[in-house]
Amino acid sequence: MAEASSVGDRWLVTGATGFVGGALVRALAADGVEVHSVVRRSSDDPAVQALGVLTTPHQHDGSTEGLMAIVAAARPTVVAHLASNFIAEHRSDQVEPLVRDNVLFGAQLLEAMGASGVSRLVNVGSAWQHYEDREFSPTCLYAATKQAFVSLLTYWVEAHGMRAVTIELTDTYGPGDTRRKLIPFMLAAERGGTTMAMVPASVPMDFVHVDDAVSAIRVAAARTQGATSPGHEIFAVRSGATQEVRALFAAWEAARGTAIAADWGARAVRAREMLDPWTQGVVLPGWSPRVSLEEGLRTL
């Protein structure tokens, strides 16, 4: 795999307090890359304070003008947009936050980039934009808002000459993950010796280790640098080893020496659950996963 170089780049990262965003910031900082971050939490938040060791955090007040000032001050050569509000099944009172965080903030970011002449963007999308393995069919409102940002990006690419790469990720995992996701729940069940209420054992899963996700973002950034003309490319980032969820439990036992009890079918599948393996899209050129599922599970 061709590993991307970040020499000479100055990064601005949104979503840096998140799981994948935080891993990206740590990897860039470890390589001596200058990193700036957009934060919306208060400055006394522990996650924001931790960012201050690795990046120059910029507090966003929610306004377009505020984000324009941040981009102008950071002067990034590339922007990595990971900030998102993930809600698998929304309530009515969550419609506005989803649109504000996933659509409005993205539009503000693109406007700020255009105003400062910043043309390179890596956008992180989701496999959840492909229900029933369709070219586009959102599994939920979250996925629909992610696609809405892609539509916004089309305008800025064509009108402002941006060079953008969107990578659509399957589920990520790795050490230090505190999200309400399957693998953190499995780790809690291992530690507590509890039985997990699970969806049917045949539901397909595809996991990408966080280190591989970070590598994909850096490869995508290098691709924007190598582009000779404006444009927007969209690629898949997946393990290539989709398997039924029952196989994940078997891999867990093989990797960690601990069997986790599962009550298969005790949890109903969500409306529009991803029940078909995702095969849409071309995998990001120059990238391939390095961390196998068994190796990744041992890192937890």
Side-chain angles (χ1 to χ4, degrees), residues 12 20 27 47 50 88 148 222 279 299:
L12 178 65
V20 179
T279 65
T299 70

Side-chain angles (χ1 to χ4, degrees), residues 12-189:
L12 178 65
V13 179
T14 74
T17 57
F19 176 57
V20 179
L24 173 63
V25 164
R26 290 190 294 273
L28 292 171
D31 286 346
V33 178
E34 181 179 346
V35 185
H36 295 253
S37 57
V38 180
V39 297
R40 290 177 281 183
R41 303 183 188 184
S42 63
S43 58
D44 59 356
D45 186 289
V48 175
Q49 292 177 344
L51 271 182
V53 179
L54 303 172
T55 78
T56 300
H58 300 265
Q59 196 78 34
H60 181 218
D61 62 5
S63 70
T64 302
E65 294 77 9
L67 198 48
M68 290 173 69
I70 288 172
V71 175
R75 298 178 295 110
T77 56
V78 60
V79 174
H81 180 39
L82 290 88
S84 67
N85 184 348
F86 171 78
I87 301 173
E89 293 181 297
H90 75 276
R91 304 187 308 266
S92 296
D93 63 343
Q94 295 170 321
V95 171
E96 289 184 16
L98 276 167
V99 173
R100 181 185 64 241
D101 296 343
N102 297 343
V103 182
L104 175 59
F105 176 75
Q108 293 172 325
L109 177 66
L110 293 171
E111 181 70 8
M113 290 176 62
S116 288
V118 180
S119 63
R120 296 170 57 206
L121 174 71
V122 177
N123 172 49
V124 177
S126 171
W128 285 40
Q129 293 163 242
H130 302 282
Y131 177 63
E132 292 186 338
D133 199 29
R134 300 174 189 169
E135 183 177 354
F136 168 62
S137 181
T139 59
C140 57
L141 182 57
Y142 156 76
T145 61
K146 296 293 284 184
Q147 187 70 24
F149 176 77
V150 171
S151 296
L152 294 172
L153 180 55
T154 299
Y155 162 72
W156 263 275
V157 165
E158 294 181 358
H160 296 279
M162 289 188 179
R163 293 172 287 164
V165 172
T166 289
I167 59 170
E168 295 179 336
L169 273 170
T170 57
D171 283 329
T172 53
Y173 74 103
D177 190 0
T178 59
R179 299 171 299 173
R180 295 181 59 80
K181 295 275 191 173
L182 176 56
I183 287 182
F185 286 151
M186 292 178 70
L187 190 59

Side-chain angles (χ1 to χ4, degrees), residues 187 190-191 251-258 294 296-300:
L187 190 59
E190 177 188 76
R191 291 169 176 169
W252 186 283
E253 183 174 2
R256 300 179 61 83
T258 304
E294 290 75 12
L297 292 176
R298 284 193 289 268
T299 70
L300 301 179

